[in-house]
Amino acid sequence: MSPSQPTETADAGPDPIERPELLLPERLARRWSPGRSTAVAARTGLALGAGITILFGTGLISHLIQHPPDWFWWPAHPVWLYRLTQGAHVTVGVMMIPLLLVKLWSVYPRFFIKPSLRRGLPEALERFSVAVLIGAVLFQIVTGLFNTAQYYPWKFFFTTTHHAMAYVAFGAVAVHLAVKLPVVRQALSKPVDETLDEEVRQGISRRTVLAAAGLGAVAAGMAVVGQSIPFLRWASLLAPRSGEGPQGIPINRTAAAAAVTETARSPRYVLTVTVGGRERVFSRAELEALPQYDSALPIACVEGWSAQGRWSGVRLRDLLARAGEYGGGDVRFVSLETTGIYGSSVLPHTHVVDAATLIALRLNGEDLALDHGYPCRLIAPNRPGVLQTKWLKTIEEIA
């Protein structure tokens, strides 16, 4: 992610690609490390590019599921697919942190090299593009990391801003790679520790720097991946979610935070279901009297954590049939909650008719805890947890 100087001839002076320290101010040149090199920058840059591509793809999937355009289709099976994509999104994002630090460490002295008059405008544009790239990637990593901890010290809405900046970051990576491709190819064509003379071989080797970057990335990933992979939770000391919670499942939003404690416990509670122009209401006792089914489904959240649960309740398709004639449209779910931005969700036809989709009344053999959505909630396969609406008030087929 650094601007490069033109390669000079032997008569014109040192090659700044191989020996940039010879062009630095003396105070910086004295601190130059042989680990800082195009060889290191190119290899860490490729790893970052691959990681950012994964982040862009998995983040786009999550955004499209939550804000689907007419052309988008997302399957109900396999039920663990969203768990995989969002777990990978957060884990890879954390793994990018040590790689980015090593990348910046390896190239930042080049920004102190005096710009070339012969390449004034192209070099200025290149440096500007690098500044955009660094800023966008840092913004995505920092805000994404804060989101996993549900800490929002800013005024903007995280979801839409993070989505928009993803295009900036991914586009900047593509432009940067196109500009630096000749330099990258040259660096990758040589052994990592190949240098112009023995003097540069003194000190930390480039292989050591790359090994440290790789180990750092693996360690960072292990520190959080357990929130997505249960058998690794013992090693994930920095994971925001431990996998514990009421009835063995963590929660993001409590009934108290949603201000539904009284309405959800009210003896007058009913669930209103509207299908094909007909409306019917069900009390909790009436829902319990209907045929009950089990579904083993994970709750998988955008923060990267997920947990498997055994849910029991009424199949959604059966409940719709009790109320009226389902016409095959999407179905909207509205919560008793009135204070949040996720008080409703829309379920596409593919998930509506799936046998695993339940109006859940129990979790892991017990009545739903209040924080898990009592008296009833939606649980559907392969969906973000934020769309698994809790404390259901109404279910309505929409055109």
Side-chain angles (χ1 to χ4, degrees), residues 82-127:
Y82 184 76
R83 185 182 198 178
L84 173 65
T85 61
Q86 197 60 21
H89 183 83
V90 172
T91 301
V92 171
V94 173
M95 292 176 71
M96 294 296 98
I97 296 174
L99 292 176
L100 180 61
L101 292 175
V102 171
K103 170 73 170 178
L104 293 176
W105 174 84
S106 69
V107 301
Y108 90 87
R110 295 174 184 269
F111 291 108
F112 297 94
I113 296 175
K114 185 177 180 180
S116 166
L117 293 178
R118 182 165 59 88
R119 296 185 67 246
L121 181 59
E123 189 168 322
L125 292 174
E126 185 182 351
R127 293 195 180 202

Side-chain angles (χ1 to χ4, degrees), residues 35 47 136 158 163 173 208 235 308 384:
F158 167 79
H163 173 69
V173 168
T208 301
Q308 186 80 7

Side-chain angles (χ1 to χ4, degrees), residues 232-276:
L232 290 177
R233 282 188 177 134
W234 61 271
S236 297
L237 302 179
L238 300 181
R241 298 293 186 276
S242 66
E244 299 300 324
Q247 298 175 292
I249 303 290
I251 57 169
N252 275 358
R253 190 164 176 81
T254 65
V260 298
T261 303
E262 293 185 7
T263 52
R265 287 174 170 166
S266 171
R268 295 186 299 275
Y269 168 82
V270 291
L271 172 65
T272 303
V273 182
T274 304
V275 184

